[in-house]
Amino acid sequence: MPGFDYKFLEKPKRRFQCPLCSKAMREPVQVSTCGHRFCDTCLQEFLSEGVFKCPEDQLPLDYAKIYPDPELEQQILALPIRCIHSEEGCRWTGQMKQLQVSFCRFPFICFLMMRRLLSQHSMAECPKRTQPCKYCGKEFVFDTIQVIILRSDIVPHAAISFAVLCLFLSCCQLHVLTFSLISLQNHQYHCPRFPVQCPNQCGTPNIAREDLANHVKDNCGSALVLCPFKDAGCKHRCPKLAIGRHLEDTTKSHLTMMCNLVGRQRQEILELRREMEELSVSHDGVLIWKLSDYSRKLQEAKLRSNHEFFSPPFYTHRYGYKLQVSAFLNGNGSGEGSHLSVYIRVLPGEYDNLLEWPFSYKVTFSILDQSDPSLSKPQHITETFNPDPNWKNFQKPSSSRNSLDESTLGFGYPKFISHEEIKKRNYIRDNCIFIKASIEIPQKIMS
């Protein structure tokens, strides 16, 4: 029902008027996002047409952001009016919410209207009645009205020329009946089964509010969706019903996108693997390299000439030189077939441009005696050398080194320990050996 159509002593101010019906607002509600106010009924009728925007500024409107405005309602109900029968001679004036009985000259008319409204109150307006929501079935019990708000569309002044007792006196506790329109208007803004329209205007009727999200996600043919190949780079967006046609028309381009994506992912995996390797690398200038399954690897080295095993890389210090140790279990060069050969090489590192070249720090190799120290003192085999700055092995490495370049062969000892000597003591224990490499870096450089 639109706004009040009373005979006001003064024309209501604009802020009291509903922008939709241009009358003094009845049961005003406020859109909290923009502050505009409307009659509750006027706004409901406007929204029922499927336009989910504020009528004043056209901004998107959310049911959950619409609230009753009792303060403004009190101001409107305080506006002075004339009796609806003023043209017939009644001189009464007062506020709309005024409850005192005027001396109306038409008591019989008022009496008939009062009796009719009493029946209406008993059936639909008693504050303690129960009333179900027609959409979700939830029952509401109305509490006693502490502050009486007179609704002009229910109780015009002429209808209250005298008091009538409520038929539900025991439950509503009102000795003098006054009428108040009590509705489920607040509940309908939150009722889960209240019918709403699809925001995509797909035409599906009577969608319950709680089902709207699933409808838009799964069933709405007009909902805009992204191409399933969006992660591969396709930015196409279209209604759900048209996505099949798009996939048929762009199969080749999607395949190209996927190939490119696989290439990028492969590169990312390699980069992550490299970063993980860097994180696992030692940075204290000491490498202890465990060669397990020694007997099998030795036989493999005997069957394959110059077969070389490589250690994990390690750094001389934080932000230092990156090095790697290699071993020929069946020997190399002059030690081939009779000795274990060990070498060290300089690898391209992350910080090479910050370091002094050539590499010139003392290197020590050891094969560790695994004898129990409580039984006998371990006797490690150790060799130490100072790098020759003129050797290519210790110059700044290039990332484009050829595998046949002599600088990649490393520098070390072709006859580090003979096959006979390595069997003595406990250099081999549990079928594994330990090779240690350490770099002597001055403390001032490490700091």
Side-chain angles (χ1 to χ4, degrees):
M1 185 175 295
F4 295 110
D5 197 18
Y6 275 130
K7 296 178 175 63
F8 293 92
L9 297 185
E10 295 180 2
K11 183 179 180 180
K13 296 179 181 179
R14 184 176 179 180
R15 68 188 185 92
F16 294 146
Q17 297 179 13
C18 173
L20 294 173
C21 69
S22 300
K23 298 179 181 179
M25 280 182 274
R26 185 192 303 271
E27 301 176 351
V29 294
Q30 181 180 24
V31 180
S32 63
T33 53
C34 61
H36 293 119
R37 297 173 173 86
F38 309 87
C39 294
D40 176 47
T41 304
C42 293
L43 183 59
Q44 288 187 48
E45 291 178 355
F46 178 84
L47 296 179
S48 68
E49 297 176 2
V51 181
F52 295 91
K53 295 181 180 179
C54 174
E56 280 289 88
D57 55 19
Q58 301 302 308
L59 294 177
L61 189 148
D62 185 355
Y63 269 113
K65 302 297 183 182
I66 302 174
Y67 301 95
D69 194 340
E71 182 177 351
L72 179 63
E73 186 173 37
Q74 288 295 329
Q75 296 176 24
I76 294 174
L77 292 176
L79 295 175
I81 61 171
R82 294 184 176 89
C83 176
I84 60 173
H85 298 288
S86 60
E87 294 180 356
E88 299 168 305
C90 183
R91 298 180 181 180
W92 179 89
T93 61
Q95 296 177 339
M96 282 194 286
K97 65 180 178 181
Q98 193 169 348
L99 300 181
Q100 67 185 40
V101 179
S102 69
F103 295 97
C104 179
R105 295 170 54 188
F106 303 94
F108 182 72
I109 298 175
C110 292
F111 173 77
L112 293 178
M113 188 176 294
M114 196 65 180
R115 295 298 295 269
R116 178 176 60 81
L117 294 175
L118 177 59
S119 176
Q120 180 179 347
H121 166 78
S122 302
M123 294 184 296
E125 297 172 0
C126 177
K128 286 295 184 179
R129 76 188 187 279
T130 60
Q131 182 174 348
C133 170
K134 68 178 181 179
Y135 302 111
C136 67
K138 182 178 179 180
E139 292 281 347
F140 290 86
V141 178
F142 293 90
D143 294 327
T144 300
I145 302 174
Q146 300 297 331
V147 178
I148 299 176
I149 302 175
L150 185 62
R151 310 284 185 175
S152 61
D153 57 318
I154 299 299
V155 191
H157 155 71
I160 55 170
S161 58
F162 63 93
V164 180
L165 294 181
C166 173
L167 297 181
F168 294 93
L169 178 62
S170 61
C171 65
C172 75
Q173 301 176 358
L174 291 178
H175 294 282
V176 178
L177 176 63
T178 56
F179 295 96
S180 176
L181 175 61
I182 302 174
S183 70
L184 301 179
Q185 61 175 5
N186 295 335
H187 170 67
Q188 72 180 15
Y189 295 127
H190 308 283
C191 175
R193 302 306 302 172
F194 187 84
V196 296
Q197 291 191 359
C198 174
N200 298 316
Q201 304 296 322
C202 68
T204 303
N206 300 326
I207 306 171
R209 178 180 282 115
E210 65 181 355
D211 298 332
L212 182 60
N214 289 335
H215 165 76
V216 172
K217 180 181 178 182
D218 301 325
N219 302 319
C220 180
S222 299
L224 294 179
V225 295
L226 292 173
C227 174
F229 291 91
K230 60 183 182 299
D231 292 335
C234 183
K235 299 180 180 180
H236 184 76
R237 187 177 183 180
C238 64
K240 185 181 296 185
L241 292 177
I243 198 67
R245 179 65 179 273
H246 165 69
L247 295 177
E248 293 177 1
D249 295 343
T250 54
T251 302
K252 186 175 181 179
S253 61
H254 284 160
L255 180 59
T256 301
M257 290 178 185
M258 289 301 297
C259 291
N260 294 335
L261 176 62
V262 170
R264 292 194 300 271
Q265 290 176 339
R266 181 183 292 112
Q267 187 62 35
E268 291 173 0
I269 291 173
L270 293 175
E271 184 67 19
L272 289 173
R273 184 176 296 168
R274 185 191 65 78
E275 291 178 0
M276 291 181 62
E277 290 175 352
E278 288 294 323
L279 290 174
S280 63
V281 166
S282 169
H283 289 77
D284 60 0
V286 176
L287 169 72
I288 296 182
W289 179 23
K290 180 180 181 180
L291 277 160
S292 56
D293 202 8
Y294 173 76
S295 58
R296 182 189 63 78
K297 290 178 179 177
L298 177 61
Q299 291 301 317
E300 183 181 350
K302 290 180 179 180
L303 295 174
R304 300 171 59 186
S305 179
N306 292 324
H307 185 52
E308 190 174 15
F309 295 92
F310 297 95
S311 76
F314 68 105
Y315 280 92
T316 57
H317 56 289
R318 192 176 184 185
Y319 312 121
Y321 302 89
K322 187 176 184 181
L323 307 175
Q324 184 179 51
V325 173
S326 65
F328 294 83
L329 299 187
N330 194 41
N332 171 259
S334 61
E336 185 173 0
S338 60
H339 287 74
L340 181 149
S341 307
V342 293
Y343 299 91
I344 195 167
R345 72 190 68 201
V346 180
L347 300 179
E350 295 291 325
Y351 316 105
D352 288 351
N353 291 335
L354 306 178
L355 304 173
E356 294 182 359
W357 298 95
F359 174 79
S360 59
Y361 301 104
K362 183 185 293 184
V363 178
T364 300
F365 286 122
S366 299
I367 183 166
L368 303 182
D369 181 3
Q370 302 177 59
S371 300
D372 189 344
S374 63
L375 301 178
S376 62
K377 182 179 180 180
Q379 298 181 13
H380 309 313
I381 302 297
T382 300
E383 296 287 352
T384 300
F385 72 89
N386 288 305
D388 185 342
N390 296 319
W391 279 58
K392 292 184 65 175
N393 306 69
F394 303 112
Q395 304 301 317
K396 181 180 178 181
S398 170
S399 58
S400 60
R401 275 182 173 175
N402 188 286
S403 60
L404 299 179
D405 192 320
E406 65 176 12
S407 63
T408 66
L409 299 178
F411 185 90
Y413 298 91
K415 294 183 177 181
F416 183 65
I417 184 173
S418 67
H419 289 167
E420 288 74 18
E421 188 174 3
I422 200 173
K423 296 176 183 178
K424 300 176 183 178
R425 299 186 63 80
N426 282 300
Y427 297 116
I428 305 173
R429 187 172 182 177
D430 297 331
N431 199 27
C432 70
I433 63 173
F434 287 92
I435 296 176
K436 178 181 179 180
S438 58
I439 313 300
E440 187 175 317
I441 301 294
Q443 188 63 35
K444 64 178 183 178
I445 294 178
M446 296 184 66
S447 61

